[in-house]
Amino acid sequence: MAFRITTPLWEKICHFASFPQTPVSLQQMILFGQNPSQGTLLKASEFLSEELPIRLAHRVKELSDLPQGLSEMPSIVRVKEWYAQSFEELVTFPPPKISPELSKVLHSAASLPLPVSIPNPSLHKLFPNSDDNSSMFLSPSSDIAGLKHHSMDDPPTSGRAMKTNGNGGKKMRIPMDRRYYYDPAETLDVAWPPEVYEYNKKFTKVLDAIKKRHDPTVTTVAGGVLEWKKKNRYKLIGSDVQRFLDRFYMSRIGIRFLIGQHIALNTLQPHPDYVGIICTRSRLHDIASEAIENARFVCEEHYGMFKAPPVQLICPRDLTFPYVPGHLSHILFELLKNSLRAIVERYGTEPSATQSTPG
């Protein structure tokens, strides 16, 4: 049975969309996820139960206001209904039942300083006229490469809630360090009741179902654009539609990162080099080498070449930094694949034409 967006649900979506999204940096997620207790995971669950509906609401609103009739395409409507259904599941999820004493411990102020989330300046160049673009993604920190696939919101000023949102509103939110991060040492001696374990388990299960529901989002949105082009007999898409696609896909990365990290913290066994899905010592040389090998293989298969153009890798073998290896591998693979395609289509498939081409 197809999901329907009722009038009360739409009003609630509009209400949540009036709040700003909260920036979360890679460094913050690493600090938060190290040796998490059930109390830490409960705090994360409470944060996501508030943050994810806001992000989902922003996307539902945007999908409803697309230019040139794009919002009316069946595939776009389907994606909007997925986001609305996930929003409803989160806002109706029952809160945990814990004693006042445990609640006081859980919501005590952070005793460790939370690093400030700094926006990626490149996003302001990509979306110079958008107030909401910087709040869609995770933002990098001053010390570690950005998780956020790059910045998400306007950076909060030390300890203050953010004041603006994509709709020009003035609604305030509780400071980040009071909602997402606190010193795990504060709860090391706390005996968390079975209700906390059960809540974390059920919430993780809901997030996993939401993540799977949105797996086909990229292809479905692409299908909606094709439907729109066919209906209007367009050969190319305009800059306004392209900007929407850029914003939407980057926002999707931020949402899936938060969900994936939370699921990993609750389900994966501890690993010395990993905090959830974040590898604290990602080895750039190895990741790049694998991406090069995969891109050259695809090039050889696609063009029927015996040997793809060579790629020279200049990188220290011992260079490591915190990141998600799968994300970095995918980024490098796509860049290399496009570069190899350009070289082959420019110089041809003969080995003599491509082997001497600088890369």
Side-chain angles (χ1 to χ4, degrees), residues 10 23 27 158 198:
W10 178 251
Q27 184 181 23
S158 52
E198 190 64 22

Side-chain angles (χ1 to χ4, degrees), residues 323-335:
Y323 211 74
V324 182
H327 286 195
L328 182 58
S329 176
H330 182 73
I331 293 170
L332 294 176
F333 169 76
E334 290 296 330
L335 291 172

Side-chain angles (χ1 to χ4, degrees), residues 152-168:
M152 254 175 192
D153 256 66
D154 294 330
T157 56
S158 52
R160 293 180 137 184
M162 301 181 57
K163 297 182 180 180
T164 61
N165 56 47
N167 302 319

Side-chain angles (χ1 to χ4, degrees), residues 51-100:
E51 180 63 24
L52 289 177
I54 291 174
R55 296 183 183 226
L56 294 171
H58 277 282
R59 305 289 71 81
V60 175
K61 285 275 293 178
E62 186 171 37
L63 287 166
S64 300
D65 301 326
L66 298 180
Q68 305 178 40
L70 183 55
S71 297
E72 301 170 6
M73 296 301 102
S75 294
I76 299 297
V77 172
R78 188 178 308 119
V79 172
K80 182 176 70 173
E81 291 172 347
W82 290 344
Y83 275 78
Q85 182 176 357
S86 299
F87 170 88
E88 184 181 52
E89 290 176 356
L90 288 171
V91 297
T92 58
F93 191 80
K97 298 179 180 180
I98 57 177
S99 67

Side-chain angles (χ1 to χ4, degrees), residues 16 22 24 29 32 40-56 86-87 89-91 93 138 173 176 179-180 199 203-204 207 210 254-266:
F16 274 75
T22 303
V24 184
M29 298 185 82
F32 180 84
T40 304
L41 296 176
L42 178 59
K43 184 108 173 179
S45 297
E46 290 185 335
F47 169 73
L48 291 183
S49 67
E50 173 190 323
E51 180 63 24
L52 289 177
I54 291 174
R55 296 183 183 226
L56 294 171
S86 299
F87 170 88
E89 290 176 356
L90 288 171
V91 297
F93 191 80
L138 299 169
R173 297 185 66 188
M176 175 69 175
R179 296 190 296 117
Y180 184 65
Y199 177 86
F203 188 74
T204 301
L207 291 184
I210 290 174
I255 292 172
R256 290 180 70 84
F257 198 111
L258 290 175
I259 293 176
Q261 176 71 359
H262 189 80
I263 292 174
L265 290 176
N266 279 270

Side-chain angles (χ1 to χ4, degrees), residues 94-256:
K97 298 179 180 180
I98 57 177
S99 67
E101 292 77 13
L102 287 179
S103 179
K104 183 178 180 180
V105 173
L106 184 66
H107 299 99
S108 59
S111 60
L112 294 180
L114 179 66
V116 174
S117 178
I118 301 174
N120 187 332
S122 65
L123 286 185
H124 295 285
K125 297 178 182 178
L126 288 174
F127 311 111
N129 300 319
S130 174
D131 294 329
D132 187 37
N133 61 66
S134 63
S135 60
M136 294 186 302
F137 320 101
L138 299 169
S139 58
S141 74
S142 56
D143 300 321
I144 298 183
L147 132 78
K148 205 180 174 171
H149 1 252
H150 309 289
S151 156
M152 254 175 192
D153 256 66
D154 294 330
T157 56
S158 52
R160 293 180 137 184
M162 301 181 57
K163 297 182 180 180
T164 61
N165 56 47
N167 302 319
K170 298 291 185 180
K171 297 192 175 181
M172 305 285 288
R173 297 185 66 188
I174 300 173
M176 175 69 175
D177 58 353
R178 297 286 299 276
R179 296 190 296 117
Y180 184 65
Y181 181 82
Y182 71 137
D183 185 1
E186 293 180 355
T187 62
L188 288 180
D189 298 327
V190 176
W192 296 99
E195 292 80 6
V196 172
Y197 288 82
E198 190 64 22
Y199 177 86
N200 287 334
K201 182 179 178 180
K202 289 182 178 179
F203 188 74
T204 301
K205 187 177 180 179
V206 169
L207 291 184
D208 187 55
I210 290 174
K211 190 170 184 287
K212 291 178 180 177
R213 175 184 299 129
H214 293 266
D215 282 344
T217 293
V218 172
T219 54
T220 307
V221 170
V225 174
L226 291 176
E227 294 167 356
W228 173 75
K229 289 173 65 178
K230 183 178 180 179
K231 178 181 178 180
N232 296 279
R233 298 181 180 180
Y234 292 150
K235 292 184 178 180
L236 301 173
I237 62 176
S239 58
D240 51 351
V241 175
Q242 186 60 58
R243 283 194 296 269
F244 152 70
L245 293 174
D246 291 340
R247 290 195 308 269
F248 184 83
Y249 287 140
M250 285 196 291
S251 171
R252 178 176 182 270
I253 294 174
I255 292 172
R256 290 180 70 84

Side-chain angles (χ1 to χ4, degrees), residues 302-351:
H302 182 75
Y303 291 103
M305 302 178 66
F306 177 73
K307 193 174 183 180
V311 178
Q312 183 181 13
L313 175 61
I314 303 175
C315 174
R317 291 182 175 271
D318 59 350
L319 175 61
T320 63
F321 61 94
Y323 211 74
V324 182
H327 286 195
L328 182 58
S329 176
H330 182 73
I331 293 170
L332 294 176
F333 169 76
E334 290 296 330
L335 291 172
L336 289 164
K337 184 182 68 173
N338 292 340
S339 298
L340 290 171
R341 175 183 177 181
I343 290 175
V344 172
E345 293 186 356
R346 170 65 177 84
Y347 296 99
T349 58
E350 292 299 322

